[in-house]
Amino acid sequence: MISFKKNTIFSREPAEKKEDEILHGGVLAVWGSPGSGKTTVAVKLAKYLADKKKNVVLVLCDMTAPMLPCICAPSELECEKSLGSILSATHVTEPLVKYNMITHKKMAYLTMIGMLKGENEYTYT
Ligand SMILES: Nc1ncnc2c1ncn2[C@@H]1O[C@H](COP(=O)(O)OP(=O)(O)OP(=O)(O)O)[C@@H](O)[C@H]1O
Ligand SMILES: [Mg+2]
């Protein structure tokens, strides 16, 4: 068994991290079998973090059945932008991604990226 010295480049990550450290930045990918509850978990996680005043980008990347219209009414959203505009661009840049983020009227810390109602992977080809 390899022994890792404490506080060196070889040390393992501390087993227990403060909640603030865990919530600071990063990407959470929700993965699983069809119909296992991925979208539900992703949306609940996003709301939980946004309620805690953490900036959250919820990426809804289902290309066949856009989930954005299922999780909030169009009247709750501040704009109509689409993940399709990002994916169809020749060069994906940070400003392009930011421009296509959809903000929620009542949740200041949440923004979403996803396909719109009626769109699919062929809409932007
Ligand atoms: N913890 C849970 N307990 C019971 N039912 C749940 C739970 N989480 C999700 N569901 C239900 O299971 C169904 C599938 O959930 P969801 O759409 O989140 O799954 P998914 O993995 O995103 O599916 P897909 O593969 O089609 O994208 C929905 O009807 C949802 O309401
Ligand atoms: Mg899903």
Side-chain angles (χ1 to χ4, degrees), residues 90-110:
T90 322
H91 299 291
V92 177
T93 58
E94 194 175 323
L96 175 74
V97 174
K98 285 182 175 169
Y99 178 79
N100 285 290
M101 287 175 168
I102 302 167
T103 41
H104 193 281
K105 283 180 186 167
K106 290 181 190 159
M107 300 188 68
Y109 288 83
L110 177 69

Side-chain angles (χ1 to χ4, degrees), residues 41-54:
V41 167
V43 170
K44 280 180 173 262
L45 270 174
K47 185 177 184 310
Y48 172 83
L49 293 169
D51 285 346
K52 283 187 163 260
K53 303 195 170 173
K54 303 287 172 187

Side-chain angles (χ1 to χ4, degrees), residues 33-41 62:
S33 309
S36 58
K38 300 179 294 294
T39 301
T40 309
V41 167
D62 194 318

